[in-house]
Amino acid sequence: MALSKEQKLTISEQQHTTSSEQQVALDAELQLWNHTFGYVKSMALKAALDLGIPDAIHQHGGSATIPQIVTRITLHPSKTPCLRRLMRVLTLTGVFGTQELHDDGGGCDDELVYTLTPASRLLVGPSGQNVSPLLNVMLCPIFVSSFLDLRGWFQHEMPDPSPFKMKHGRDIWELAAHDAGFSRLFDAGMVADSGFIMNVVVRECGAVFQGISSLVDVGGGFGGATQAIAKAFPHLECSVLDLPNVVAGAPADTAVKYVAGDMFESVSSADAVFLKDRRATGRTWRRNACLISTS
């Protein structure tokens, strides 16, 4: 039996509706997959840092092929095809870029050349411009494992330990005081973060450091922030106040003075007190810095 024009139109509309609903479902599944496998991007970046891939590309002038990268890193020969897959993830996420190297010698395939991007240049720069140590902390198993049982943390009554302390039995500072390896990793990360952000601060907000002759950075760790301030303003007498176990490992080859103490008991005398912290709020990391005049 032949279908009428109206019947054909109805069937077409139903098929279109079904197709649209299927597309919505497929898009929704894709969104869930992106969330589920989002950790792959973080772990790919960690692998690149651990293997030294950014440095390998940098040592080749900022661009390198897979065979050139392999000469600079420790990799089992059987894993070279896997390295290509890792680099694909890292280029799709913007850590590295790519160019094609055309083979003019009669070869069959063009070789991809991997290049540094603005993001990966932050992984190879000099001290004060290199954030690799901070990423090494954030991506280390000690930190990552703290997020693997958030359900258990949410089921505890407030106030309760942080997810980090619930996992490891100590907060970050307590663990650093008892684990020398983690302490070195954490301190290096904080120095790198402070040096990077403070280079921006002294350029953009340098006027706040004028008119004072001394400054104490309270809880400043190894003095990454203070060293950047001292370098930019040589007239300032800069010191760092932190716990004895932190000061014991502080660098000696710097103009910054390190004072062992407890900020909750007393603070060293200075024209200004500098406070800086980094904490997670919502979807972003927030950096806070405060300069308090003591006069």
Side-chain angles (χ1 to χ4, degrees):
M1 181 178 67
L3 297 176
S4 66
K5 184 177 180 179
E6 290 76 10
Q7 289 174 319
K8 291 180 180 179
L9 181 60
T10 299
I11 293 175
S12 177
E13 290 175 345
Q14 290 174 341
Q15 290 175 338
H16 177 73
T17 300
T18 301
S19 176
S20 297
E21 291 174 348
Q22 290 174 342
Q23 187 60 53
V24 169
L26 289 172
D27 290 343
E29 183 190 38
L30 177 61
Q31 185 178 17
L32 293 176
W33 276 66
N34 283 334
H35 280 291
T36 301
F37 291 102
Y39 69 90
V40 173
K41 294 186 289 185
S42 298
M43 293 301 102
L45 177 58
K46 174 175 168 51
L49 292 171
D50 291 344
L51 289 169
I53 294 175
D55 288 324
I57 296 176
H58 180 60
Q59 290 164 4
H60 274 282
S63 61
T65 62
I66 288 291
Q68 290 171 332
I69 293 172
V70 168
T71 64
R72 299 279 184 169
I73 66 175
T74 302
L75 185 78
H76 193 279
S78 67
K79 294 295 175 62
T80 299
C82 301
L83 179 61
R84 296 182 189 277
R85 297 174 65 184
L86 174 65
M87 295 302 291
R88 179 173 175 80
V89 173
L90 294 167
T91 54
L92 288 174
T93 55
V95 176
F96 299 118
T98 58
Q99 299 173 349
E100 276 196 357
L101 177 64
H102 297 289
D103 186 355
D104 297 327
C108 297
D109 298 319
D110 292 334
E111 182 74 62
L112 277 180
V113 178
Y114 297 94
T115 61
L116 296 177
T117 63
S120 48
R121 288 190 184 281
L122 293 180
L123 308 177
V124 298
S127 178
Q129 300 175 29
N130 190 327
V131 299
S132 289
L134 174 65
L135 301 187
N136 286 331
V137 177
M138 296 296 105
L139 294 173
C140 77
I142 290 177
F143 261 93
V144 173
S145 62
S146 303
F147 295 92
L148 298 182
D149 188 26
L150 289 180
R151 182 192 67 172
W153 181 79
F154 275 106
Q155 291 174 345
H156 275 71
E157 182 181 0
M158 293 287 285
D160 56 359
S162 66
F164 187 97
K165 187 169 184 177
M166 182 172 291
K167 172 65 178 178
H168 302 292
R170 295 187 173 102
D171 63 26
I172 294 173
W173 319 109
E174 292 168 341
L175 184 61
H178 289 82
D179 186 325
F182 176 71
S183 178
R184 286 191 297 269
L185 185 70
F186 182 73
D187 289 335
M190 295 301 98
V191 168
D193 178 52
S194 294
F196 177 77
I197 194 62
M198 288 308 299
N199 280 334
V200 177
V201 170
V202 296
R203 286 197 304 268
E204 302 297 327
C205 309
V208 301
F209 298 101
Q210 302 297 336
I212 59 175
S213 59
S214 60
L215 173 148
V216 57
D217 183 357
V218 177
F222 281 4
T226 320
Q227 290 179 40
I229 295 171
K231 182 179 179 181
F233 305 98
H235 70 280
L236 272 180
E237 182 182 332
C238 296
S239 61
V240 172
L241 172 70
D242 215 313
L243 296 174
N245 65 288
V246 176
V247 171
D253 55 341
T254 173
V256 175
K257 178 183 178 182
Y258 294 87
V259 180
D262 187 337
M263 62 181 287
F264 296 108
E265 295 180 359
S266 65
V267 175
S268 308
S269 177
D271 291 343
V273 173
F274 183 75
L275 300 169
K276 173 183 172 292
D277 79 312
R278 179 188 180 102
R279 65 184 63 184
T281 57
R283 297 169 58 188
T284 61
W285 281 92
R286 182 181 70 198
R287 293 181 178 90
N288 295 328
C290 178
L291 188 66
I292 304 172
S293 173
T294 60
S295 59

